[in-house]
Amino acid sequence: MILNGISKRNFLVIGRVGMDLSPDPPGTRTRNAQNMMVAMGGSSANIAAGLVKLGCQAALVTRVSDDAVGWYCEGQLDAYGVDRTHVSRIQGEERTSLAVYETRVEEHQSVIYRNNAADFQMSIEDVEAVDYASFGALITAGTVFAAEPSRTATFRAFELAKAAGLPIIFDVDYRPYSWSSPRVAEEVLSRAGALSDVIVGNDEEFGFMAGDIAHGLDKARDLAGSSATIVVYKMGAEGAITLADGAEIRTGIFPTKAVKPTGAGDSFMAGFLAALADGQALRDAILRGSACASIVVAKPGCAPAMPNTAELEAYLASHPGPTDC
């Protein structure tokens, strides 16, 4: 049933869209910047854009501020082909998120502005306005659970998605600065994980959910054995362990010369899901997601760096292949 939903190639994505600023040219420190590259950002919006580039359909559910930055994000969603029927404007003191990050790996600096974030104002009414039966799967990233009313609204979306038979795909995406306390984050993210059919996270995120990084893989195994159909445990340069049907699949990475550390997780998710939607075997889908991640970290920007299908195929054809695992 999980793969049947994903195979419909039509994804409902819940979570933020924002504006990214990066000092230009690449390698420039923010404190020395004279010019900035401007692009769409936000984990959920990046995933949605990546899916569309790879031939799928994606719609975003969130809120943006009714101002120039919010309007910019709306225009970018349109440019990428992401359905924004359920992206609503909010007036008041809330603002669309802004990220300032450097296109450099050494001493990299990312500064995220999430004070009074507009997307945290997403409400139950927003998610109840969606026709879930018209989608194949629901995707969300953990940041939507960091504050109210977005947290309650997203759990309500989970209920509605399950009632409509949609699989729930959860990127843990733990960002401490968004949460009131680590204890709350651990409880809420664990609850979301227990409700999800596909869970993707890195070793630190699973370790956090387990209460100890040393027990992260055990946490992933517990989720795969109790509630989730597929769990992807990412380990950075060491590759990934994917747990499904009682088996553990170990895969490597596609070595590349990174120009920044950001955007890899969003691109991985898009590439992984698009490959599953195309009927690729699970191992191959993981590797295609890994290739997408390598492509993105080797280019400036996040959403702009996401590969389309032709770019991904050309990369796979020219690359020596993944590392051994």
Side-chain angles (χ1 to χ4, degrees):
M1 185 184 77
I2 305 304
L3 294 179
N4 286 342
I6 292 172
S7 69
K8 293 180 181 179
R9 305 173 62 82
N10 191 2
F11 297 90
L12 180 68
V13 189
I14 296 180
R16 67 189 173 98
V17 60
M19 175 184 279
D20 285 355
L21 299 176
S22 302
D24 191 56
T28 305
R29 295 176 182 272
T30 301
R31 66 190 183 198
N32 299 325
Q34 297 294 317
N35 297 291
M36 290 281 188
M37 171 184 172
V38 185
M40 183 180 79
S43 298
S44 294
N46 288 338
I47 292 170
L51 285 165
V52 174
K53 283 188 170 186
L54 292 169
C56 298
Q57 293 177 283
L60 190 68
V61 185
T62 192
R63 287 194 176 187
V64 296
S65 49
D66 190 9
D67 57 26
V69 177
W71 305 335
Y72 168 83
C73 291
E74 291 175 341
Q76 287 293 292
L77 290 169
D78 290 343
Y80 283 104
V82 176
D83 182 350
R84 62 175 178 90
T85 301
H86 297 289
V87 176
S88 59
R89 297 177 180 178
I90 183 170
Q91 295 181 339
E93 294 302 314
E94 294 83 9
R95 294 290 180 263
T96 300
S97 294
L98 176 68
V100 182
Y101 62 84
E102 297 170 342
T103 307
R104 55 184 290 124
V105 175
E106 184 179 357
E107 298 180 5
H108 173 87
Q109 284 282 309
S110 291
V111 182
I112 314 294
Y113 294 89
R114 298 279 287 144
N115 308 78
N116 293 324
D119 56 281
F120 281 150
Q121 296 303 310
M122 182 183 68
S123 68
I124 287 178
E125 290 75 18
D126 292 327
V127 301
E128 288 184 341
V130 176
D131 177 15
Y132 291 83
S134 63
F135 296 95
L138 181 149
I139 306 168
T140 195
T143 49
V144 298
F145 294 107
E148 294 287 9
S150 177
R151 180 185 304 162
T152 296
T154 305
F155 279 123
R156 175 58 176 154
F158 276 26
E159 293 176 356
L160 295 168
K162 283 185 175 292
L166 273 63
I168 294 173
I169 301 157
F170 175 48
D171 185 341
V172 181
D173 195 28
Y174 172 55
R175 305 187 182 215
Y177 56 79
S178 293
W179 291 83
S180 59
S181 74
R183 181 188 61 79
V184 171
E186 179 183 345
E187 292 175 356
V188 174
L189 293 176
S190 293
R191 177 186 169 195
L195 294 170
S196 301
D197 300 293
V198 179
I199 306 172
V200 178
N202 62 36
D203 45 6
E204 292 183 355
E205 289 166 339
F206 279 108
F208 174 76
M209 293 168 69
D212 184 340
I213 191 169
H215 300 305
L217 184 54
D218 290 335
K219 178 67 174 181
R221 286 170 173 151
D222 287 344
L223 288 165
S226 59
S227 55
T229 300
I230 300 171
V231 177
V232 183
Y233 180 84
K234 299 186 294 183
M235 303 176 292
E238 301 302 314
I241 300 173
T242 302
L243 305 105
D245 296 325
E248 295 189 6
I249 302 171
R250 292 178 178 262
T251 50
I253 65 165
F254 289 79
T256 191
K257 184 177 180 180
V259 300
K260 67 182 192 309
T262 53
D266 302 335
S267 190
F268 173 88
M269 179 69 89
F272 170 55
L273 293 176
L276 287 180
D278 285 340
Q280 298 274 349
L282 184 56
R283 176 185 291 274
D284 293 335
I286 292 294
L287 288 173
R288 289 175 77 86
S290 297
C292 288
S294 292
I295 290 170
V296 166
V297 296
K299 296 180 179 181
C302 289
M306 300 273 179
N308 60 32
T309 302
E311 290 166 340
L312 175 57
E313 296 297 348
Y315 180 84
L316 292 170
S318 62
H319 196 283
T323 55
D324 293 331
C325 55

mmCIF file with all atom_site columns, all heavy atoms in Angstrom, residues 172-185:
data_model
loop_
_atom_site.group_PDB
_atom_site.id
_atom_site.type_symbol
_atom_site.label_atom_id
_atom_site.label_alt_id
_atom_site.label_comp_id
_atom_site.label_asym_id
_atom_site.label_entity_id
_atom_site.label_seq_id
_atom_site.pdbx_PDB_ins_code
_atom_site.Cartn_x
_atom_site.Cartn_y
_atom_site.Cartn_z
_atom_site.occupancy
_atom_site.B_iso_or_equiv
_atom_site.pdbx_formal_charge
_atom_site.auth_seq_id
_atom_site.auth_comp_id
_atom_site.auth_asym_id
_atom_site.auth_atom_id
_atom_site.pdbx_PDB_model_num
ATOM 1   N N   . VAL A 1 172 ? 12.882 13.589 9.730  1.00 0.00 ? 172 VAL A N   1
ATOM 2   C CA  . VAL A 1 172 ? 12.995 14.010 11.133 1.00 0.00 ? 172 VAL A CA  1
ATOM 3   C C   . VAL A 1 172 ? 13.452 15.464 11.239 1.00 0.00 ? 172 VAL A C   1
ATOM 4   O O   . VAL A 1 172 ? 12.883 16.258 11.990 1.00 0.00 ? 172 VAL A O   1
ATOM 5   C CB  . VAL A 1 172 ? 13.953 13.086 11.908 1.00 0.00 ? 172 VAL A CB  1
ATOM 6   C CG1 . VAL A 1 172 ? 14.040 13.534 13.376 1.00 0.00 ? 172 VAL A CG1 1
ATOM 7   C CG2 . VAL A 1 172 ? 13.480 11.640 11.827 1.00 0.00 ? 172 VAL A CG2 1
ATOM 8   N N   . ASP A 1 173 ? 14.497 15.844 10.513 1.00 0.00 ? 173 ASP A N   1
ATOM 9   C CA  . ASP A 1 173 ? 14.893 17.251 10.355 1.00 0.00 ? 173 ASP A CA  1
ATOM 10  C C   . ASP A 1 173 ? 14.846 18.021 11.673 1.00 0.00 ? 173 ASP A C   1
ATOM 11  O O   . ASP A 1 173 ? 14.208 19.068 11.785 1.00 0.00 ? 173 ASP A O   1
ATOM 12  C CB  . ASP A 1 173 ? 13.970 17.910 9.321  1.00 0.00 ? 173 ASP A CB  1
ATOM 13  C CG  . ASP A 1 173 ? 14.521 19.242 8.820  1.00 0.00 ? 173 ASP A CG  1
ATOM 14  O OD1 . ASP A 1 173 ? 15.747 19.407 8.813  1.00 0.00 ? 173 ASP A OD1 1
ATOM 15  O OD2 . ASP A 1 173 ? 13.709 20.109 8.446  1.00 0.00 ? 173 ASP A OD2 1
ATOM 16  N N   . TYR A 1 174 ? 15.554 17.513 12.682 1.00 0.00 ? 174 TYR A N   1
ATOM 17  C CA  . TYR A 1 174 ? 15.570 18.159 13.994 1.00 0.00 ? 174 TYR A CA  1
ATOM 18  C C   . TYR A 1 174 ? 16.495 19.369 13.986 1.00 0.00 ? 174 TYR A C   1
ATOM 19  O O   . TYR A 1 174 ? 17.684 19.258 13.682 1.00 0.00 ? 174 TYR A O   1
ATOM 20  C CB  . TYR A 1 174 ? 16.025 17.176 15.071 1.00 0.00 ? 174 TYR A CB  1
ATOM 21  C CG  . TYR A 1 174 ? 16.244 17.805 16.419 1.00 0.00 ? 174 TYR A CG  1
ATOM 22  C CD1 . TYR A 1 174 ? 15.230 18.542 17.038 1.00 0.00 ? 174 TYR A CD1 1
ATOM 23  C CD2 . TYR A 1 174 ? 17.461 17.686 17.090 1.00 0.00 ? 174 TYR A CD2 1
ATOM 24  C CE1 . TYR A 1 174 ? 15.421 19.140 18.275 1.00 0.00 ? 174 TYR A CE1 1
ATOM 25  C CE2 . TYR A 1 174 ? 17.663 18.268 18.335 1.00 0.00 ? 174 TYR A CE2 1
ATOM 26  C CZ  . TYR A 1 174 ? 16.638 18.998 18.917 1.00 0.00 ? 174 TYR A CZ  1
ATOM 27  O OH  . TYR A 1 174 ? 16.832 19.589 20.149 1.00 0.00 ? 174 TYR A OH  1
ATOM 28  N N   . ARG A 1 175 ? 15.945 20.529 14.331 1.00 0.00 ? 175 ARG A N   1
ATOM 29  C CA  . ARG A 1 175 ? 16.708 21.778 14.401 1.00 0.00 ? 175 ARG A CA  1
ATOM 30  C C   . ARG A 1 175 ? 16.468 22.392 15.780 1.00 0.00 ? 175 ARG A C   1
ATOM 31  O O   . ARG A 1 175 ? 15.403 22.986 16.013 1.00 0.00 ? 175 ARG A O   1
ATOM 32  C CB  . ARG A 1 175 ? 16.280 22.725 13.293 1.00 0.00 ? 175 ARG A CB  1
ATOM 33  C CG  . ARG A 1 175 ? 16.401 22.049 11.921 1.00 0.00 ? 175 ARG A CG  1
ATOM 34  C CD  . ARG A 1 175 ? 16.158 22.986 10.800 1.00 0.00 ? 175 ARG A CD  1
ATOM 35  N NE  . ARG A 1 175 ? 16.233 22.284 9.527  1.00 0.00 ? 175 ARG A NE  1
ATOM 36  C CZ  . ARG A 1 175 ? 16.707 22.803 8.409  1.00 0.00 ? 175 ARG A CZ  1
ATOM 37  N NH1 . ARG A 1 175 ? 17.150 24.036 8.406  1.00 0.00 ? 175 ARG A NH1 1
ATOM 38  N NH2 . ARG A 1 175 ? 16.738 22.101 7.296  1.00 0.00 ? 175 ARG A NH2 1
ATOM 39  N N   . PRO A 1 176 ? 17.415 22.271 16.673 1.00 0.00 ? 176 PRO A N   1
ATOM 40  C CA  . PRO A 1 176 ? 17.198 22.668 18.068 1.00 0.00 ? 176 PRO A CA  1
ATOM 41  C C   . PRO A 1 176 ? 16.707 24.090 18.254 1.00 0.00 ? 176 PRO A C   1
ATOM 42  O O   . PRO A 1 176 ? 15.913 24.365 19.163 1.00 0.00 ? 176 PRO A O   1
ATOM 43  C CB  . PRO A 1 176 ? 18.588 22.479 18.703 1.00 0.00 ? 176 PRO A CB  1
ATOM 44  C CG  . PRO A 1 176 ? 19.261 21.455 17.845 1.00 0.00 ? 176 PRO A CG  1
ATOM 45  C CD  . PRO A 1 176 ? 18.752 21.701 16.452 1.00 0.00 ? 176 PRO A CD  1
ATOM 46  N N   . TYR A 1 177 ? 17.159 25.034 17.396 1.00 0.00 ? 177 TYR A N   1
ATOM 47  C CA  . TYR A 1 177 ? 16.816 26.438 17.602 1.00 0.00 ? 177 TYR A CA  1
ATOM 48  C C   . TYR A 1 177 ? 15.318 26.714 17.473 1.00 0.00 ? 177 TYR A C   1
ATOM 49  O O   . TYR A 1 177 ? 14.838 27.759 17.908 1.00 0.00 ? 177 TYR A O   1
ATOM 50  C CB  . TYR A 1 177 ? 17.589 27.330 16.635 1.00 0.00 ? 177 TYR A CB  1
ATOM 51  C CG  . TYR A 1 177 ? 17.398 26.992 15.164 1.00 0.00 ? 177 TYR A CG  1
ATOM 52  C CD1 . TYR A 1 177 ? 16.260 27.384 14.467 1.00 0.00 ? 177 TYR A CD1 1
ATOM 53  C CD2 . TYR A 1 177 ? 18.375 26.274 14.469 1.00 0.00 ? 177 TYR A CD2 1
ATOM 54  C CE1 . TYR A 1 177 ? 16.085 27.065 13.132 1.00 0.00 ? 177 TYR A CE1 1
ATOM 55  C CE2 . TYR A 1 177 ? 18.198 25.959 13.127 1.00 0.00 ? 177 TYR A CE2 1
ATOM 56  C CZ  . TYR A 1 177 ? 17.062 26.354 12.463 1.00 0.00 ? 177 TYR A CZ  1
ATOM 57  O OH  . TYR A 1 177 ? 16.878 26.033 11.143 1.00 0.00 ? 177 TYR A OH  1
ATOM 58  N N   . SER A 1 178 ? 14.565 25.803 16.868 1.00 0.00 ? 178 SER A N   1
ATOM 59  C CA  . SER A 1 178 ? 13.130 26.017 16.669 1.00 0.00 ? 178 SER A CA  1
ATOM 60  C C   . SER A 1 178 ? 12.284 25.551 17.847 1.00 0.00 ? 178 SER A C   1
ATOM 61  O O   . SER A 1 178 ? 11.100 25.885 17.926 1.00 0.00 ? 178 SER A O   1
ATOM 62  C CB  . SER A 1 178 ? 12.655 25.292 15.405 1.00 0.00 ? 178 SER A CB  1
ATOM 63  O OG  . SER A 1 178 ? 13.206 25.870 14.244 1.00 0.00 ? 178 SER A OG  1
ATOM 64  N N   . TRP A 1 179 ? 12.876 24.769 18.755 1.00 0.00 ? 179 TRP A N   1
ATOM 65  C CA  . TRP A 1 179 ? 12.100 24.097 19.790 1.00 0.00 ? 179 TRP A CA  1
ATOM 66  C C   . TRP A 1 179 ? 12.227 24.796 21.142 1.00 0.00 ? 179 TRP A C   1
ATOM 67  O O   . TRP A 1 179 ? 13.257 25.395 21.457 1.00 0.00 ? 179 TRP A O   1
ATOM 68  C CB  . TRP A 1 179 ? 12.556 22.649 19.919 1.00 0.00 ? 179 TRP A CB  1
ATOM 69  C CG  . TRP A 1 179 ? 12.190 21.809 18.730 1.00 0.00 ? 179 TRP A CG  1
ATOM 70  C CD1 . TRP A 1 179 ? 12.874 21.705 17.553 1.00 0.00 ? 179 TRP A CD1 1
ATOM 71  C CD2 . TRP A 1 179 ? 11.038 20.981 18.602 1.00 0.00 ? 179 TRP A CD2 1
ATOM 72  N NE1 . TRP A 1 179 ? 12.222 20.850 16.695 1.00 0.00 ? 179 TRP A NE1 1
ATOM 73  C CE2 . TRP A 1 179 ? 11.094 20.388 17.307 1.00 0.00 ? 179 TRP A CE2 1
ATOM 74  C CE3 . TRP A 1 179 ? 9.970  20.665 19.439 1.00 0.00 ? 179 TRP A CE3 1
ATOM 75  C CZ2 . TRP A 1 179 ? 10.118 19.511 16.843 1.00 0.00 ? 179 TRP A CZ2 1
ATOM 76  C CZ3 . TRP A 1 179 ? 8.998  19.784 18.983 1.00 0.00 ? 179 TRP A CZ3 1
ATOM 77  C CH2 . TRP A 1 179 ? 9.078  19.225 17.705 1.00 0.00 ? 179 TRP A CH2 1
ATOM 78  N N   . SER A 1 180 ? 11.187 24.641 21.962 1.00 0.00 ? 180 SER A N   1
ATOM 79  C CA  . SER A 1 180 ? 11.211 25.242 23.300 1.00 0.00 ? 180 SER A CA  1
ATOM 80  C C   . SER A 1 180 ? 12.148 24.502 24.234 1.00 0.00 ? 180 SER A C   1
ATOM 81  O O   . SER A 1 180 ? 12.720 25.098 25.149 1.00 0.00 ? 180 SER A O   1
ATOM 82  C CB  . SER A 1 180 ? 9.798  25.250 23.895 1.00 0.00 ? 180 SER A CB  1
ATOM 83  O OG  . SER A 1 180 ? 9.278  23.920 23.986 1.00 0.00 ? 180 SER A OG  1
ATOM 84  N N   . SER A 1 181 ? 12.315 23.188 24.019 1.00 0.00 ? 181 SER A N   1
ATOM 85  C CA  . SER A 1 181 ? 13.233 22.405 24.850 1.00 0.00 ? 181 SER A CA  1
ATOM 86  C C   . SER A 1 181 ? 13.526 21.083 24.161 1.00 0.00 ? 181 SER A C   1
ATOM 87  O O   . SER A 1 181 ? 12.705 20.579 23.380 1.00 0.00 ? 181 SER A O   1
ATOM 88  C CB  . SER A 1 181 ? 12.635 22.134 26.233 1.00 0.00 ? 181 SER A CB  1
ATOM 89  O OG  . SER A 1 181 ? 11.615 21.154 26.149 1.00 0.00 ? 181 SER A OG  1
ATOM 90  N N   . PRO A 1 182 ? 14.680 20.468 24.430 1.00 0.00 ? 182 PRO A N   1
ATOM 91  C CA  . PRO A 1 182 ? 14.981 19.151 23.866 1.00 0.00 ? 182 PRO A CA  1
ATOM 92  C C   . PRO A 1 182 ? 13.973 18.089 24.298 1.00 0.00 ? 182 PRO A C   1
ATOM 93  O O   . PRO A 1 182 ? 13.642 17.185 23.524 1.00 0.00 ? 182 PRO A O   1
ATOM 94  C CB  . PRO A 1 182 ? 16.379 18.847 24.417 1.00 0.00 ? 182 PRO A CB  1
ATOM 95  C CG  . PRO A 1 182 ? 16.979 20.174 24.696 1.00 0.00 ? 182 PRO A CG  1
ATOM 96  C CD  . PRO A 1 182 ? 15.833 21.029 25.163 1.00 0.00 ? 182 PRO A CD  1
ATOM 97  N N   . ARG A 1 183 ? 13.470 18.182 25.533 1.00 0.00 ? 183 ARG A N   1
ATOM 98  C CA  . ARG A 1 183 ? 12.519 17.182 26.013 1.00 0.00 ? 183 ARG A CA  1
ATOM 99  C C   . ARG A 1 183 ? 11.242 17.195 25.181 1.00 0.00 ? 183 ARG A C   1
ATOM 100 O O   . ARG A 1 183 ? 10.732 16.133 24.785 1.00 0.00 ? 183 ARG A O   1
ATOM 101 C CB  . ARG A 1 183 ? 12.176 17.439 27.488 1.00 0.00 ? 183 ARG A CB  1
ATOM 102 C CG  . ARG A 1 183 ? 11.193 16.417 28.069 1.00 0.00 ? 183 ARG A CG  1
ATOM 103 C CD  . ARG A 1 183 ? 10.750 16.828 29.459 1.00 0.00 ? 183 ARG A CD  1
ATOM 104 N NE  . ARG A 1 183 ? 10.074 18.115 29.461 1.00 0.00 ? 183 ARG A NE  1
ATOM 105 C CZ  . ARG A 1 183 ? 8.797  18.285 29.089 1.00 0.00 ? 183 ARG A CZ  1
ATOM 106 N NH1 . ARG A 1 183 ? 8.068  17.264 28.688 1.00 0.00 ? 183 ARG A NH1 1
ATOM 107 N NH2 . ARG A 1 183 ? 8.260  19.490 29.135 1.00 0.00 ? 183 ARG A NH2 1
ATOM 108 N N   . VAL A 1 184 ? 10.725 18.379 24.907 1.00 0.00 ? 184 VAL A N   1
ATOM 109 C CA  . VAL A 1 184 ? 9.517  18.492 24.086 1.00 0.00 ? 184 VAL A CA  1
ATOM 110 C C   . VAL A 1 184 ? 9.784  17.956 22.692 1.00 0.00 ? 184 VAL A C   1
ATOM 111 O O   . VAL A 1 184 ? 8.979  17.217 22.119 1.00 0.00 ? 184 VAL A O   1
ATOM 112 C CB  . VAL A 1 184 ? 9.033  19.956 24.025 1.00 0.00 ? 184 VAL A CB  1
ATOM 113 C CG1 . VAL A 1 184 ? 7.904  20.114 23.004 1.00 0.00 ? 184 VAL A CG1 1
ATOM 114 C CG2 . VAL A 1 184 ? 8.570  20.423 25.397 1.00 0.00 ? 184 VAL A CG2 1
ATOM 115 N N   . ALA A 1 185 ? 10.928 18.309 22.135 1.00 0.00 ? 185 ALA A N   1
ATOM 116 C CA  . ALA A 1 185 ? 11.269 17.844 20.791 1.00 0.00 ? 185 ALA A CA  1
ATOM 117 C C   . ALA A 1 185 ? 11.341 16.327 20.739 1.00 0.00 ? 185 ALA A C   1
ATOM 118 O O   . ALA A 1 185 ? 10.825 15.701 19.802 1.00 0.00 ? 185 ALA A O   1
ATOM 119 C CB  . ALA A 1 185 ? 12.596 18.457 20.351 1.00 0.00 ? 185 ALA A CB  1
#
